Amino acid sequence: MAASIGEQLRLAREGRGVPLREISDQTRISDQTRIAVRYLEAIETNDYGRLPGGIFNRSFIKAYARCVGYDEKEAIEGYTRYLREHGEPGDDVATTPFHSKVYTDTPATRSPFLTVILAILILGLLTVGALAALHWFQKRSAKAPGQNSLSLRIDSLRPVGSNKVSGSASSSGLQEADYEAVLQ
């Protein structure tokens, strides 16, 4: 069986006679950021669970391979192969590119003609609803002044002394006659 990528990187490092501390110093990105020795040891022992995960694992392996003169692409392929062989989930972005559904050239799922028809139908329904509401408000506002003038006419027909409605049949008969006269 072929040696794992961690073993291959360790052998390449030992073949050059470079200690892990020197590899850590060579992979320094800035004054404060470098690959810690514990992460380099984890790579050599194929203990990838001790690494931060995600894109960092691949970046660390790539930087390590570069420092020991190992092919970076082959190191990444070996790391991916090791994960697959041991049933560990991939820790990086999928190798197949992600295509956004927003900006694709895929055909529309609905006919443009149907879309236009639906838009016209919705606008028509909204227009009919608005016109019906306007008609209702106009009719309501026209009724209110008419009712006031009708009650004024009825009040003017009443005799001066009869502001209160009595329960007698003669006064109710008079009031009904007054109403009928006003309505005609």
Side-chain angles (χ1 to χ4, degrees), residues 6 13 19-25 27 34-46 50-51 60-61 63-64:
R13 178 185 61 81
L20 283 175
R21 171 60 62 195
E22 190 175 322
I23 299 289
S24 176
D25 291 338
T27 59
R34 63 185 168 88
I35 300 175
V37 173
R38 70 177 184 270
Y39 291 147
L40 296 173
E41 290 171 347
I43 291 171
E44 286 185 352
T45 59
N46 296 311
R50 290 182 12 206
L51 296 177
F60 289 177
I61 291 169
Y64 189 158

Side-chain angles (χ1 to χ4, degrees), residues 1 20 29 31 43 49 75 83 93 97-99 101 133 135 144 148 153 160-161 167 173:
M1 180 175 163
L20 283 175
I29 298 169
D31 291 336
I43 291 171
L83 289 179
V93 179
F98 176 76
H99 296 289
K101 294 286 185 188
H135 178 70
N148 290 340
R153 284 189 222 152
V160 179

Side-chain angles (χ1 to χ4, degrees), residues 97-147:
F98 176 76
H99 296 289
S100 172
K101 294 286 185 188
V102 177
Y103 299 107
T104 61
D105 294 331
T106 58
T109 57
R110 181 176 30 205
S111 164
F113 179 71
L114 181 61
T115 304
V116 170
I117 295 297
L118 287 174
I120 291 171
L121 180 67
I122 290 170
L123 287 174
L125 289 173
L126 289 173
T127 303
V128 167
L131 289 174
L134 180 66
H135 178 70
W136 181 76
F137 281 119
Q138 286 178 345
K139 195 173 183 180
R140 185 174 171 205
S141 65
K143 257 188 180 180
Q147 288 176 343

Side-chain angles (χ1 to χ4, degrees), residues 31 50 71 81 84 89 134 172 180:
D31 291 336
R50 290 182 12 206
D71 183 28
R81 186 173 42 253
R84 253 187 273 130
L134 180 66
S172 65
E180 289 176 11

Side-chain angles (χ1 to χ4, degrees), residues 50-104:
R50 290 182 12 206
L51 296 177
I55 192 75
F56 293 107
N57 291 7
R58 292 181 185 269
S59 298
F60 289 177
I61 291 169
K62 200 177 207 182
Y64 189 158
R66 186 180 319 119
C67 287
V68 296
Y70 196 85
D71 183 28
E72 296 172 25
K73 186 176 180 179
E74 188 177 322
I76 296 298
E77 288 172 358
Y79 167 69
T80 306
R81 186 173 42 253
Y82 178 85
L83 289 179
R84 253 187 273 130
E85 288 173 359
H86 288 84
E88 295 182 31
D91 60 347
D92 201 19
V93 179
T95 55
T96 57
F98 176 76
H99 296 289
S100 172
K101 294 286 185 188
V102 177
Y103 299 107
T104 61

